[in-house]
Amino acid sequence: MIEKYKREAASDVVYNLEYNSERQRLIIPEYGRHLQKLIDQATAIEDDETRNKAAKYIIQVMGSLNPHLRDVPDFQHKLWDQLFIMSDFKLNVESPYPIPSREVLELKPDVLQYPQNFPKYRFYGNNIKYMIDVANKWEEGEMKNALIMVIANHMKKSFLSWNKDTVKDDVIFEHLYELSGGKINLLHSTEELLNTTDLMRTNKRMSNKTAQSGPTKTQNNKNNNNKSGQKKTFQKNNQK
């Protein structure tokens, strides 16, 4: 038997195994290791013309992975950017688009400042506080009184949505007085808010949007089949 076809010892085979953990880290793993090796080989080519041809061939291979986007100009720009990124910015070729830099790639976005609100009565939400602030700026009159009653009723509905219990109007008026900074005072008012039962019924109606209003399809078919009210009997065919 030829020497090179002799079976190697099991220990030698295990010793020569190449694990992914020992290989070079893939910069963009989605393209796989074979494409990464093609880019490494193109980077090592010394001739400029041959290196440019190799780069264009790699772009075609990358585009073949997404054939429906291969001829889109923006997608071509993305492929060239990814080519330079996967080469660790070492590939020196002529690109039809501006060549990205490592500094631009490593730029971090500015920290987004989220609004920090810690309301005392969180079940009312922030919009209620905004509505109360708007009501405080309005002039005294019927429009302001109507807006205050709308806000109070909405507060009561929100309270019932989260607490699932009855609540007196005086409690809502106290919360409204506190959230308005003492500018809206209904503690001694004779106004009454909507009934708890009506508000709970409204909340339930809003949560059951998929409820069917009318007979089901099966019932409709049954009604259509029995319009005459007579039961269809089975008749045996005696013809020979």
Side-chain angles (χ1 to χ4, degrees):
M1 181 182 293
I2 304 176
E3 185 69 20
K4 64 178 181 180
Y5 292 119
K6 287 184 177 179
R7 180 176 297 177
E8 298 179 351
S11 59
D12 295 338
V13 174
V14 174
Y15 180 78
N16 293 324
L17 284 176
E18 185 180 9
Y19 295 94
N20 286 334
S21 58
E22 299 177 351
R23 295 177 176 177
Q24 184 181 1
R25 183 183 66 87
L26 294 177
I27 300 176
I28 303 180
E30 289 80 0
Y31 286 106
R33 189 166 298 278
H34 294 295
L35 189 63
Q36 182 66 53
K37 290 182 178 180
L38 280 176
I39 296 175
D40 294 339
Q41 293 176 3
T43 305
I45 297 175
E46 298 181 357
D47 183 61
D48 295 340
E49 184 178 357
T50 306
R51 188 168 58 252
N52 281 282
K53 289 182 179 180
K56 293 179 180 179
Y57 170 75
I58 295 174
I59 290 295
Q60 293 179 0
V61 175
M62 295 170 64
S64 63
L65 300 177
N66 298 282
H68 59 290
L69 298 173
R70 183 170 48 192
D71 298 329
V72 178
D74 293 341
F75 187 68
Q76 287 287 321
H77 192 178
K78 180 180 179 181
L79 292 180
W80 279 96
D81 289 346
Q82 291 178 343
L83 176 63
F84 289 108
I85 293 172
M86 293 176 67
S87 67
D88 198 18
F89 302 96
K90 298 177 181 178
L91 184 61
N92 183 15
V93 294
E94 297 178 358
S95 172
Y97 305 98
I99 300 176
S101 61
R102 189 186 303 275
E103 291 76 13
V104 175
L105 182 65
E106 294 177 352
L107 283 177
K108 295 183 179 180
D110 297 333
V111 179
L112 182 62
Q113 299 295 335
Y114 288 95
Q116 301 296 332
N117 295 323
F118 304 98
K120 183 177 180 180
Y121 306 107
R122 303 185 66 177
F123 45 84
Y124 290 136
N126 293 325
N127 291 333
I128 285 291
K129 187 63 174 66
Y130 297 150
M131 294 172 66
I132 293 174
D133 294 339
V134 171
N136 288 334
K137 298 178 182 179
W138 283 19
E139 297 180 356
E140 297 295 334
E142 295 183 359
M143 294 293 294
K144 182 175 181 179
N145 295 334
L147 177 60
I148 291 174
M149 293 305 300
V150 170
I151 294 173
N153 282 301
H154 190 70
M155 290 174 63
K156 186 175 182 180
K157 184 173 68 174
S158 300
F159 188 99
L160 295 173
S161 298
W162 288 96
N163 294 280
K164 302 298 183 183
D165 197 3
T166 58
V167 58
K168 295 183 178 180
D169 294 349
D170 295 340
V171 176
I172 302 299
F173 293 156
E174 290 177 1
H175 293 172
L176 181 59
Y177 179 80
E178 183 178 355
L179 293 175
S180 64
K183 296 180 180 180
I184 300 177
N185 189 357
L186 298 178
L187 298 176
H188 303 289
S189 176
T190 58
E191 296 286 348
E192 293 183 359
L193 300 179
L194 294 177
N195 191 2
T196 301
T197 306
D198 296 337
L199 291 174
M200 293 297 293
R201 187 183 299 114
T202 303
N203 291 340
K204 185 177 181 181
R205 190 185 306 117
M206 292 298 294
S207 61
N208 295 332
K209 294 181 179 180
T210 58
Q212 296 181 357
S213 59
T216 60
K217 185 176 181 181
T218 305
Q219 293 175 349
N220 290 332
N221 294 335
K222 185 182 296 184
N223 295 333
N224 294 332
N225 294 332
N226 297 329
K227 289 183 179 179
S228 61
Q230 299 178 359
K231 186 176 180 181
K232 187 175 181 180
T233 58
F234 176 76
Q235 298 179 357
K236 184 176 180 181
N237 188 4
N238 295 325
Q239 295 180 0
K240 295 183 180 180

